[in-house]
């Protein structure tokens, strides 16, 4: 009898300890700024993508080294789509004329496939991160338009064909419109434009479409809510569509800050582009806590800056939810505040997850609707 009692006591002690430890673990893993301490509810078990399943796909930009350990688990929980942050860009994936480097892009695509996630391809044509060889002949002279276009065709055909059926959407053309309030200045003076004129634009979409007719083809840019630039993009797209160029969607990059864009400019941009029959995605979302490079007062994630960021994220997602008939995806540019391209030269805390991968207060506002 004594032995049985003592066994029961041991079992009871063990079970109590187990329950206490489990509760503590759950609290420390889910408890975060913005949730009252001690609250564990169904929401903490859901990921960001689950809250938005009836609205649009939630994605994230990644490097291969994001896809291991705790970060991989956090990504699987919260995101339904991956965008390679750098490794599918022309420079990294096509470093010289007869050499493609697929390994890093393949890793991201394989991870997405293994975990039932979509992939957005980024980007086929850009003025940056493109090998200088694209525009030079063997003597170092600038190539002709014919050679440049032939190289672009080969690049697009090879890359899109390799990932046909695995990459559902491509940023075919990135940032071709100039930031200039002068309405007579439209196109960025990139090497592509200087050598080929406007012709490379329509051709890029046609070649991407030929390589994968089912892929959703995007024009992608930043400052798309600034009315002057918005209208230049709109005019370009309208002309291309009229000429029968296969463009399906516009990517608003969404490198925003807590004062910009205004709610009105965000709504107007979505309405204007979608009036062309195009779908919309926010393709590179982050909201830095600094309003400019010279915004240097009270550096750091102060309560004031945090509140402004919360308010901005709340506003933006309210608008995006309202526009769910045309908005098909929202992709964050980097996983968490632990590491963002905006951290140079100072940390910018632009995302919904903190440096420990935990949801921030802004996260809980974004999922409260
Ligand atoms: O890969 C090299 C590495 O070998 C080298 O040791 C290291 C030293 O600095 O540089 C590495 O390359 C860096 C690369 O990111 C990968 O980390 C480049 O210097 C750096 O310039 C590059 O920055 C990327 C930037 O595009 C280039 O313009 C950012 O990570 C990336 O987030 C950013 O993404 C762009 C989108 O594609 C288009 N829209 C704007 C957005 C933000 O600029």
């Amino acid at each position: 009898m004594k032995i049985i009692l003592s066994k029961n006591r041991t079992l009871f002690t063990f079970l109590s300890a187990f329950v206490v430890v489990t509760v503590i673990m759950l609290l420390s893993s889910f408890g975060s700024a913005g949730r009252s301490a001690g609250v564990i509810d169904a929401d903490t078990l859901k990921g960001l993508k689950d809250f938005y399943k009836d609205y649009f796909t939630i994605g994230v930009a990644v490097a291969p080294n994001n896809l291991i350990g705790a970060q991989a688990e956090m990504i699987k929980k919260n995101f339904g789509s991956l965008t390679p942050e750098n490794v599918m860009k022309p420079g990294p994936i096509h470093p010289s004329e007869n050499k493609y480097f697929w390994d890093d892009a393949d890793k991201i695509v394989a991870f997405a496939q293994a975990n039932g996630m979509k992939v957005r391809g980024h980007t086929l044509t850009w003025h940056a991160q493109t090998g200088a060889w694209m525009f030079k002949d063997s003597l170092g002279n600038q190539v002709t338009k014919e050679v440049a276009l032939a190289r672009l065709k080969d690049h697009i055909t090879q890359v899109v064909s390799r990932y046909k059926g695995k990459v559902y959407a491509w940023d075919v053309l990135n940032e071709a419109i100039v930031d200039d309030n002068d309405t007579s200045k439209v196109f960025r003076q990139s090497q592509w434009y200087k050598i080929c004129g406007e012709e490379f634009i329509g051709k890029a979409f046609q070649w991407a479409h030929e390589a994968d007719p089912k892929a959703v083809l995007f024009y992608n840019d930043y400052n798309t809510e600034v009315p002057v630039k918005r209208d230049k993009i709109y005019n370009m797209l309208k002309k291309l569509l009229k000429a029968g160029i296969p463009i399906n969607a516009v990517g608003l990059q969404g490198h925003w800050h807590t004062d910009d864009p205004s709610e009105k400019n965000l709504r107007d941009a979505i309405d204007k582009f979608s009036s062309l029959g195009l779908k919309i995605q926010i393709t590179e979302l982050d909201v830095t806590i600094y309003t400019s490079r010279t915004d240097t007062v009270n550096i750091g994630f102060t309560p004031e800056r945090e509140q402004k960021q919360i308010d901005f994220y709340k506003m933006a997602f309210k608008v995006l939810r309202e526009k769910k008939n045309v908005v098909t995806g929202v992709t964050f540019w980097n996983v968490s505040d632990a590491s963002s391209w905006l951290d140079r030269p100072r940390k910018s805390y632009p995302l919904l997850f903190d440096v420990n991968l935990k949801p921030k207060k802004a996260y809980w506002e974004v999922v409260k609707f």
Side-chain angles (χ1 to χ4, degrees):
M1 185 68 173
K2 247 186 187 168
I3 292 170
I4 292 171
L5 272 178
S6 140
K7 266 193 180 164
N8 279 346
R9 205 173 299 129
T10 311
L11 187 64
F12 178 74
T13 312
F14 173 77
L15 282 175
S16 311
F18 179 76
V19 168
V20 169
V21 168
T22 307
V23 168
I24 288 171
M25 280 172 67
L26 282 170
L27 281 176
S28 64
S29 102
F30 299 131
S32 66
R35 307 295 282 178
S36 27
V39 173
I40 300 175
D41 57 34
D43 283 359
T44 54
L45 300 172
K46 285 190 197 165
L48 182 54
K49 65 177 168 42
D50 304 316
F51 289 96
Y52 278 88
K53 70 176 175 14
D54 296 330
Y55 290 83
F56 32 73
T57 305
I58 301 278
V60 64
V62 292
N65 66 10
N66 293 131
L67 305 178
I68 44 175
Q71 212 172 160
E73 295 311 309
M74 179 272 192
I75 287 170
K76 285 192 265 178
K77 176 177 173 180
N78 289 288
F79 303 102
S81 166
L82 300 181
T83 302
E85 181 184 5
N86 285 298
V87 301
M88 271 187 187
K89 289 171 177 172
I93 210 166
H94 195 175
S96 59
E97 184 159 18
N98 299 310
K99 190 174 163 216
Y100 283 87
F101 175 71
W102 305 113
D103 292 8
D104 286 346
D106 284 356
K107 279 181 200 157
I108 293 174
V109 172
F111 182 91
Q113 294 230 295
N115 294 293
M117 305 166 97
K118 297 177 172 181
V119 181
R120 296 191 81 261
H122 175 83
T123 172
L124 296 170
T125 318
W126 196 20
H127 63 275
Q129 282 179 294
T130 300
W133 67 266
M134 278 262 194
F135 310 106
K136 303 276 184 216
D137 65 17
S138 56
L139 300 173
N141 299 317
Q142 183 173 293
V143 294
T144 61
K145 174 174 167 179
E146 287 66 34
V147 171
L149 289 176
R151 286 179 176 175
L152 184 60
K153 181 177 184 183
D154 171 67
H155 174 76
I156 291 177
T157 307
Q158 296 282 338
V159 177
V160 175
S161 300
R162 183 178 182 87
Y163 297 111
K164 186 175 178 180
K166 296 178 178 172
V167 167
Y168 84 103
W170 280 101
D171 290 331
V172 176
L173 178 60
N174 204 33
E175 303 171 3
I177 298 294
V178 76
D179 290 286
D180 195 319
N181 280 333
D182 180 344
T183 51
S184 70
K185 294 193 176 122
V186 177
F187 293 100
R188 181 187 294 277
Q189 298 299 300
S190 68
Q191 295 275 67
W192 289 118
Y193 186 80
K194 283 186 192 158
I195 297 173
C196 308
E198 280 180 59
E199 203 177 324
F200 78 99
I201 296 177
K203 288 253 160 63
F205 283 94
Q206 273 165 345
W207 292 325
H209 182 65
E210 281 163 20
D212 185 356
K214 288 194 182 145
V216 186
L217 304 184
F218 278 74
Y219 175 72
N220 190 49
D221 212 331
Y222 62 89
N223 282 348
T224 40
E225 305 75 32
V226 175
V228 176
K229 189 168 178 184
R230 177 198 68 201
D231 291 351
K232 289 179 191 175
I233 296 171
Y234 172 86
N235 292 336
M236 173 186 73
L237 294 171
K238 192 172 177 187
K239 191 168 148 194
L240 290 166
L241 287 166
K242 200 167 167 219
I245 302 299
I247 301 179
N248 311 110
V250 186
L252 318 187
Q253 290 186 4
H255 294 299
W256 294 329
H257 65 69
T258 51
D259 282 353
D260 191 64
S262 65
E263 182 169 344
K264 178 178 186 320
N265 282 356
L266 176 56
R267 284 179 188 284
D268 288 353
I270 295 173
D271 291 346
K272 186 141 198 178
F273 295 130
S274 60
S275 74
L276 291 169
L278 299 169
K279 294 294 185 198
I280 308 290
Q281 290 196 3
I282 310 302
T283 51
E284 305 183 16
L285 180 57
D286 43 31
V287 181
T288 172
I289 56 168
Y290 301 109
T291 54
S292 70
R293 284 187 182 276
T294 50
D295 175 6
T296 50
V297 184
N298 295 327
I299 290 291
F301 198 53
T302 61
E304 294 73 23
R305 289 187 189 275
E306 180 181 31
Q307 189 55 50
K308 284 186 73 177
Q309 188 184 53
I310 292 169
D311 296 341
F312 185 92
Y313 263 121
K314 229 169 129 175
M315 176 282 285
F317 272 85
K318 180 181 63 127
V319 172
L320 296 172
R321 285 193 303 272
E322 280 172 28
K323 307 275 180 197
K324 72 170 186 174
N325 289 344
V326 292
V327 175
T328 59
V330 175
T331 291
F332 288 84
W333 206 245
N334 298 129
V335 180
S336 77
D337 287 350
S339 174
S340 155
W341 73 283
L342 290 166
D343 286 345
R344 299 174 291 251
R346 56 188 170 179
K347 275 199 81 62
S348 293
Y349 306 92
L351 297 158
L352 289 185
F353 295 90
D354 71 14
V355 294
N356 298 311
L357 305 178
K358 299 283 180 262
K360 291 158 65 176
K361 283 184 194 165
Y363 173 99
W364 294 114
E365 292 300 328
V366 161
V367 301
K368 199 196 299 170
F369 55 89

